[in-house]
Amino acid sequence: MASAILAALYAGDRAEAYRLARAIPLLDVFEAAALGDADALAERLEEDPTAVDAIAPDGFTPLHLSAYFGGLSAARYLIAHGATIDALSQNAMSVTPLHSAVSAHQATIVSLLLANGANPNVPQRGGIVPLHQAAHNGDDDSIEALLVAGANRDVRSDDGRLPIDYASPDKRALYEPLLRF
């Protein structure tokens, strides 16, 4: 079960998550990562360096959480301290931190992960790769970063769709030159 802080973040209530964080003496490694608190993260990892790849009750590593919630300084810290870039979540989604960043429109973290060796072509459940999700989100910056990093534009999801097929109708014409092979 997720902590109250993580539950607030998942509900989109950052103010409540920060209020809760101020009320407790110590954030755990997952809360620190999700809140982007690199100082608290450093304290937790000093106590237990193996926690860099710990699995939260919802199946995500600290890097997944910092990627999803936009904790850029925490993501940088985790990567610098050996977090597994392509760790698969231990839940039904079977996503990497790159999928997490793309799904949450975190283009800066997408670029950070790719610059540190994240695989732009790893599929999640349903054969969805990050380029499918970025096209679906209309996230131009993530699409560009993924393509520069070698994302395969002709990969098909399990239902046979290409990344261009995930784009909204208003974005399809814009993406056509980028995503057609």
Side-chain angles (χ1 to χ4, degrees):
M1 176 168 208
S3 72
I5 291 170
L6 288 175
L9 288 170
Y10 280 125
D13 192 346
R14 245 185 208 291
E16 177 65 4
Y18 286 121
R19 186 193 70 72
L20 291 166
R22 285 189 303 274
I24 62 172
L26 294 174
L27 297 174
D28 70 25
V29 67
F30 307 113
E31 295 163 339
L35 289 169
D37 188 337
D39 293 334
L41 193 56
E43 290 175 18
R44 297 298 73 76
L45 293 179
E46 186 174 308
E47 294 166 1
D48 179 9
T50 66
V52 73
D53 281 330
I55 304 296
D58 60 4
F60 297 109
T61 67
L63 188 55
H64 283 93
L65 295 169
S66 64
Y68 184 77
F69 291 113
L72 182 59
S73 62
R76 284 185 180 129
Y77 187 88
L78 289 161
I79 291 167
H81 287 83
T84 302
I85 291 288
D86 286 330
L88 286 176
S89 63
Q90 302 299 303
N91 54 34
M93 290 182 269
S94 192
V95 297
T96 66
L98 182 60
H99 292 107
S100 297
V102 170
S103 71
H105 305 259
Q106 301 292 344
T108 302
I109 296 177
V110 167
S111 294
L112 173 70
L113 292 167
L114 291 167
N116 283 279
N119 179 351
N121 295 307
V122 66
Q124 70 178 70
R125 181 185 61 184
I128 306 292
V129 297
L131 193 57
H132 288 116
Q133 185 66 47
H136 172 77
N137 291 348
D139 186 345
D140 301 347
D141 293 333
S142 289
I143 288 171
E144 181 179 343
L146 288 161
L147 290 172
V148 166
N152 184 351
R153 38 188 94 160
D154 66 346
V155 66
R156 293 184 182 272
S157 58
D158 290 353
D159 64 4
R161 294 191 294 164
L162 296 165
I164 189 71
D165 299 327
Y166 281 81
S168 64
D170 61 314
K171 287 283 194 170
R172 238 179 233 175
L174 174 67
Y175 293 160
E176 192 73 28
L178 293 173
L179 296 179
R180 283 288 177 201
F181 55 97

